[in-house]
Amino acid sequence: MKNKIIHIDIDAFYASVEELDNPSLKGKPLAVGGLSDRGIVATVNYPARRYGIHSAMPIFMARALCPSLIVVKSNREKYLKKSKEVFNIIADYSRNMEKVSIDECYIDLSHSNEPVNLAMDLKRRILKETGLTVSMGLSYNKFLAKIASDWKKPDGFMIISDSDMPEILYKLDINKVHGLGEMSQEKLRKIGINTIEDLMGLKEDFLFDLFGKMGIEIYERIRGIDRREVIPDRTRKSMGVERTFLETNNKKELNSYLDKYSKELAEDLKKYNLGFKTLTLKLKTHDFKTSTHSKTYSTTIKSYEDILEKSKALFKENYTEKKLRLMGISASNLVDLDTIQLSFKDIKNPD
Ligand code: DCP
Ligand code: MG
């Protein structure tokens, strides 16, 4: 099977951007996040990871683990700009690029006879032109490409070919299986399943009973079967913002998050000139129970004000007063506003 899909993930993204802006930070333990006592770590550079600090950890806890930790306030606009620079370079290498987050994407290199050379060239160019290192994984499907990019972080490049499968995965922890959430992992660990090798010992029916349709996908993916295509951003299905924070049931605080998310979602939609019809609110309670609540509207939504009003209404309808640790909103049933404008133009200028 041809290795044609690359997964790319920028190393310690926000922290690396801050180091580029202020080189004296390099080599010192650094966290990016909210500065207040209630702040959460967005990410840390690799020196700080040695202290056991990681994303979504409260800042006060991170400071306790590493008193010399430097904390820089996160600046999303700056990271978005840098992310755009990186994606623009990547887009030179494949027309078929699917962004998964601010620092992560898949590209399909089916058109190339030399995907390895192309990938190495791309890696060099990103470093030269942006100063950032990325980790890359090349394989014959998305699941394995993602596992490969995670293999030798930072600045890694790993190839997983079908002849390496499935042995290469045996020793990996089940947390490397994309699609297995925290709750599912816990369920598995309770019955003694900790590695992919353990997971391979489970029958398909058993996984289906445990996790439904996702269980079947997991059964297949760890055996190297993943039929998902790289979907170019123009035809993407949804777009969203979500974040972990310190547990709270303070409605004012929760509403302020919705306000922030609505702003970010509106900005992102604008960037791609998209609107949408379905809004989904995601809530994760302190005991890690996740629920989603969707509503579809007859009109196309795109403005910050509109998103905020509708997400507040969804929140009001569905919030049960329990303490939350994560909230998110996402837009689906996306409407390409370019196409709408084009078809109007076409009517006016039929040539
Ligand atoms: N991020 C965040 N909150 C989280 C996780 C991530 O705000 N809970 C932000 C900060 C990260 C960026 O998203 O820099 C990218 O996330 P990654 O998971 O790719 O983490 P990093 O790029 O920081 O590190 P890695 O080298 O492991 O990819
Ligand atoms: Mg990253």
Side-chain angles (χ1 to χ4, degrees), residues 9-15 41-44 46 49 55-56 101-104 153 243-244:
D9 189 312
I10 306 174
D11 300 317
F13 181 42
Y14 293 5
V41 172
T43 194
V44 281
Y46 279 77
R49 288 183 200 195
S55 296
S101 76
I102 190 163
D103 84 326
E104 194 188 338
K153 262 185 161 299
R243 213 146 295 152
T244 304

